[in-house]
């Protein structure tokens, strides 16, 4: 994901279900979120350190202990070859079956998922999955680091204009809220009631789009087979 909190807005309930089922999940944040928050009294390096800590705390809520950061500048991410290599490196280190990432496409129905950093990270991450991580001759320096090629079998895109898979998170909604409340720099200005109401609106609409019964809550994804 591009920033601390992105995974929690997009997929925390789904991640909680995976870890509950015994799956290992690793987070990779491209930036430290140094351009976020509302406190002018903090320097940008202080904000970055605080947001890293918040993401680690949020990850624990949903059963994730391995959280990694690439340290790219918040608000200035581009889908460069360097970023593709850095993401491909982590894919080869972790060797995942499934990679969750922001959609590289703009969502014209809701602008917030389409932050430029999100779209840039989505484009670079998708290229890192195919072809970079699986091609032993792409970024040969990764081979010299002892990282063999790896093929991830699935990509799950969040925040895009289309979805083809909906995960029922109704029973894990409270954990999603708790994960988001861990990001105090981003959510403390919003009451918990307002945050819950906002999330319920989004997740209820997604559940309805996915054909789930009334009253259920769902996180939407566009799932691609990349094997």
């Amino acid at each position: 994901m591009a920033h601390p909190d992105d995974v929690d807005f997009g997929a925390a309930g789904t991640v909680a279900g995976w870890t509950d089922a015994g799956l290992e999940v690793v987070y990779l944040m491209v930036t430290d979120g140094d351009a976020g928050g509302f406190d002018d009294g903090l320097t940008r390096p202080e904000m970055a350190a605080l947001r890293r800590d918040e993401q680690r705390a949020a990850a624990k809520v949903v059963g994730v202990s391995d959280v990694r950061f690439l340290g790219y500048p918040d608000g200035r991410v581009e889908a460069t070859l360097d970023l593709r290599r850095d993401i491909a490196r982590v894919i080869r280190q972790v060797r995942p079956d499934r990679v969750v990432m922001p959609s590289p496409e703009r969502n014209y129905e809701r602008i917030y998922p389409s932050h430029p950093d999100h779209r840039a990270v989505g484009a670079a991450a998708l290229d890192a999955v195919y072809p970079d991580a699986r091609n032993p001759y792409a970024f040969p320096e990764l081979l010299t680091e002892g990282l063999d090629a790896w093929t991830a079998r699935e990509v799950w895109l969040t925040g895009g204009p289309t979805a083809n898979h909906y995960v029922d998170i109704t029973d894990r909604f409270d954990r999603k809220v708790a994960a988001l409340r861990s990001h105090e720099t981003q959510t403390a200005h919003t009451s918990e009631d307002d945050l819950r109401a906002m999330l319920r609106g989004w997740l209820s609409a997604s559940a309805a789009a996915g054909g789930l019964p009334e009253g259920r809550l769902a996180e939407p994804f566009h799932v691609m087979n990349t094997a």
Side-chain angles (χ1 to χ4, degrees):
M1 293 292 177
H3 314 104
D5 83 7
D6 288 348
V7 68
D8 298 302
F9 273 109
T14 300
V15 169
W18 290 340
T19 60
D20 286 351
L23 301 183
E24 180 183 359
V25 177
V26 176
Y27 284 173
L28 176 65
M29 306 299 151
V30 171
T31 81
D32 297 331
D34 55 282
F38 301 91
D39 189 345
D40 293 337
L42 291 175
T43 66
R44 291 302 95 189
E46 288 171 337
M47 177 60 71
L50 184 54
R51 295 200 68 189
R52 288 194 297 270
D53 287 343
E54 289 175 344
Q55 184 59 81
R56 294 185 186 102
K60 288 181 180 178
V61 172
V62 295
V64 176
S65 59
D66 190 341
V67 183
R68 308 181 187 198
F69 299 89
L70 293 180
Y72 279 71
D74 184 359
R76 290 174 283 164
V77 180
E78 296 180 344
T80 62
L81 286 172
D82 283 348
L83 180 55
R84 284 170 52 180
R85 181 203 59 226
D86 290 346
I87 296 173
R89 174 183 288 111
V90 178
I91 291 173
R92 292 191 188 189
Q93 290 170 341
V94 175
R95 302 172 77 81
D97 292 313
R98 177 179 299 155
V99 183
V100 181
M101 64 184 67
S103 173
E105 297 183 77
R106 189 182 296 275
N107 186 336
Y108 288 100
E109 297 297 321
R110 286 181 53 239
I111 195 170
Y112 298 106
S114 298
H115 187 292
D117 285 357
H118 297 180
R119 290 184 283 116
V121 167
L126 198 55
D127 288 343
V129 168
Y130 174 79
D132 300 332
R134 70 185 62 193
N135 181 355
Y137 307 109
F139 302 117
E141 60 268 36
L142 298 182
L143 282 181
T144 66
E145 296 174 19
L147 298 173
D148 291 332
W150 178 257
T151 298
R153 298 184 301 182
E154 292 180 351
V155 160
W156 290 42
L157 301 175
T158 69
T162 61
N164 61 7
H165 187 69
Y166 301 84
V167 178
D168 188 333
I169 67 153
T170 310
D171 297 337
R172 298 182 295 278
F173 178 68
D174 288 345
R175 290 168 72 188
K176 180 181 180 75
V177 173
L180 284 166
R181 295 301 280 181
S182 298
H183 298 279
E184 293 184 11
T185 59
Q186 311 305 301
T187 63
H189 64 289
T190 302
S191 73
E192 182 159 336
D193 286 345
D194 287 346
L195 179 62
R196 284 177 173 272
M198 179 182 69
L199 292 171
R200 283 189 178 278
W202 295 346
L203 301 172
S204 295
S206 294
L212 276 67
E214 186 174 354
R216 306 305 289 178
L217 305 172
E219 290 174 339
F221 301 90
H222 188 104
V223 177
M224 303 166 51
N225 184 329
T226 52

